[in-house]
Amino acid sequence: MRRIRANAILILTVAWILGTFYYLWQDSRPSSSSSSSSGSQLKNHGRLEERTLPLIQQGQLLGQFDQKAFLSSKQLKAGEDPYREHAFNLQESDRLGSERTIRDTRHYRCSSMTFDPDLPPTSIIITFHNEARSTLLRTIKSVLMRSPPHLIQEIILVDDFSSDPEDCRLLSQIPKVHCLRNERREGLIRSRVRGASAASASILTFLDSHCEVNTDWLQPMIQRVKEDHTRVVSPIIDVISLDNFAYLAASADLRGGFDWSLHFKWEQIPIEQKMARNDPTQPIRTPVIAGGIFVMDKGWFNRLGQYDTHMDIWGGENFELSFRVWMCGGSLEILPCSRVGHVFRKRHPYDFPEGNALTYIKNTRRAAEVWMDEYKQYYYAARPSAQGKAFGSIADRLALRRKLNCNSFRWYLENVYPELKIPEQDAAYSLLKQGGLCLESHGTDSLGLAECKSTPSIPASQKWTLIEPQIRQHDLCLAITAFTAGSKVRLEPCNIKESRQVGVFSDLSTHSCSAHLEEQLLLFI
Ligand code: LR7
Ligand code: MN
């Protein structure tokens, strides 16, 4: 009896192993339509394995362009710090040259995906400012070598006023590559808009200037955008080590998120969504995109207002675009079967004419002011230094939002990003009380006392945020007019260096709030 049972277990085990092998083999068999399109890969045992193109085809790929001369004329000099100029190890990048084989980091099931045979071509847009020649050329070559040629309409480089204009001129010799050079530094946002306007394909693909695209990266993204032009799609962004340039697979369980200071972060897909994912090739909905690498329909890009071109240099545009896409009728997703490597750096290797912090504040403040409605108060609470900083006029972006009839930020939070915790309501504001009267703002500079309302009908004009040493309402602060007892208190744009705003916190009881209300004792509750 025991022997029969042992035999049965053995037979079942063998059958299970064979079954598993068959399943894996079936699953990873190359499909005809995904393999026919790309000339740069050969299939090997069902998995995509990369081979470099034969030299003759490489020659056709680069035309008259002399890659050896391009790379060798600008290499690191002996004794120079390899990290100084680009914030990555230039020596390692140069050593790799213009191309290399990278591991196909996709889930094995991705290689059996099929795509429409008539996918539309795309214009690739790459902006750069003082990029290293080897990383820039590898980006371009990886696109040419790992994309079906008929899907690449053109590669538009926008040279954002790099010190050496030769990079742009020489790279234009590569077939399909055009280079536009800015006459002054514009920043990546305006540069991308310039590139997008010059694009002749109906689909735009944006890339940073230090990427390497992976096997069949493009088809899944074009397919999703072709099916629904309101989708804006990103690949999984693999990591290219800034030290040794190793190509490392990123987790497939991440999406884009942020905190109230508008700081981007990768975060785990919520557990319910993760449990519901039985197909690893399925798109991942994401509240925001990292910003640099995405595919978007050109008509949709234009209709949605391209970018906010009053944003400078770097930062914030990914939030602005992400909020706009979701709130105005589109969606954002990460496609796990598309992989692109990117060199992540720890510092910016270039200068910010207005300073790094001020530029980031200006850009994110514009995004918050246009798109975050009443929730912008949490942005200001999380980033107090943003208050009172200049951000220019947002009138045209507000008009755009009205014209497009976009949803509210509340809708976005409820439907797209419910995981973003709203800071404790009570901690976020206080009332300033005297007896039964509450301090209230009227417009942007005058104050008064009015009957206190209780929750939930407390008006925004009676809510004050206490962020030591200031008392704020959004970007306006209480300030005393003079340092003498009985002087008036008024409202003015916050400025942390203004001692009249700083003094008010401790001195409030000795100052009055408006001309006709003397001798008040205000209490925080
Ligand atoms: O003044 C500038 N002009 C430019 O043309 C400054 C930069 N650039 C170019 C630059 O050469 C590069 O090609 O713009 C591109 C992006 O600049 P990076 O590489 O310094 O930016 P990043 O990779 O640190 O930053 C991410 O966030 C940015 C916010 O503005 C942009 O959206 C970047 O495109 C974006 N990069 C990615 O999403 C890749 C994945 C990284 C992550 C997370
Ligand atoms: Mn980058």
Side-chain angles (χ1 to χ4, degrees), residues 480-485 487 498-504 507 511:
I480 50 173
T481 43
F483 288 97
T484 47
S487 70
E498 178 52 76
S499 49
R500 289 178 301 96
Q501 294 176 10
V502 174
V504 85
D507 270 10
H511 299 283

Side-chain angles (χ1 to χ4, degrees), residues 1 7 17 142 207 260 286 337 403 418 440 455 463 488:
M1 190 62 188
N7 278 344
I17 292 171
S142 73
L207 281 179
W260 285 104
T286 185
C337 289
K403 186 188 93 186
E440 203 176 67
T455 8
K463 291 179 180 173
K488 307 282 181 290

Side-chain angles (χ1 to χ4, degrees), residues 424-494:
E424 273 290 308
Q425 294 289 337
D426 290 342
Y429 69 87
S430 300
L431 302 177
L432 294 175
K433 256 191 169 181
Q434 184 198 30
L437 297 179
C438 274
L439 183 69
E440 203 176 67
S441 62
H442 302 145
T444 53
D445 57 0
S446 76
L447 294 165
L449 287 179
E451 186 198 339
C452 296
K453 300 278 184 336
S454 50
T455 8
S457 55
I458 301 172
S461 60
Q462 289 189 0
K463 291 179 180 173
W464 300 92
T465 316
L466 312 178
I467 303 170
E468 275 204 82
Q470 293 168 313
I471 303 173
R472 300 160 178 261
Q473 238 174 36
H474 307 303
D475 51 347
L476 295 174
C477 275
L478 289 187
I480 50 173
T481 43
F483 288 97
T484 47
S487 70
K488 307 282 181 290
V489 175
R490 67 170 189 208
L491 209 49
E492 59 184 39
C494 293

Side-chain angles (χ1 to χ4, degrees), residues 208-211 314 342-345:
D208 272 12
S209 47
H210 32 258
C211 292
W314 178 99
H342 168 262
V343 186
F344 287 80
R345 293 181 285 205

Side-chain angles (χ1 to χ4, degrees), residues 167-300:
D167 296 1
C168 190
R169 193 184 65 78
L170 292 169
L171 289 166
S172 304
Q173 297 169 349
I174 302 176
K176 291 196 182 181
V177 174
H178 311 287
C179 188
L180 311 168
R181 180 170 157 86
N182 291 341
E183 282 174 13
R184 52 174 189 164
R185 178 87 176 280
E186 297 286 359
L188 72 92
I189 296 122
R190 287 192 289 279
S191 301
R192 279 189 198 156
V193 169
R194 185 173 178 205
S197 307
S200 61
S202 65
I203 293 190
L204 306 173
T205 300
F206 295 93
L207 281 179
D208 272 12
S209 47
H210 32 258
C211 292
E212 281 167 78
V213 303
N214 210 321
T215 311
D216 288 346
W217 69 295
L218 194 54
Q219 299 93 315
M221 295 200 280
I222 297 190
Q223 177 78 39
R224 289 294 286 178
V225 174
K226 183 193 170 212
E227 284 165 9
D228 177 349
H229 74 278
T230 67
R231 288 178 187 148
V232 176
V233 301
S234 265
I236 289 185
I237 304 175
D238 285 335
V239 177
I240 301 174
S241 159
L242 65 95
D243 296 312
N244 60 14
F245 277 75
Y247 188 101
L248 308 164
S251 161
D253 288 334
L254 300 176
R255 64 175 194 174
F258 58 91
D259 61 22
W260 285 104
S261 70
L262 291 185
H263 170 78
F264 177 86
K265 57 182 182 188
W266 297 107
E267 61 181 32
Q268 290 289 329
I269 302 171
I271 189 75
E272 320 80 63
Q273 282 178 40
K274 206 163 159 177
M275 304 284 271
R277 278 177 69 78
N278 44 23
D279 175 1
T281 68
Q282 262 172 12
I284 298 162
R285 271 166 57 101
T286 185
V288 288
I289 50 170
I293 309 174
F294 64 97
V295 176
M296 185 168 182
D297 180 85
K298 183 173 173 177
W300 184 233

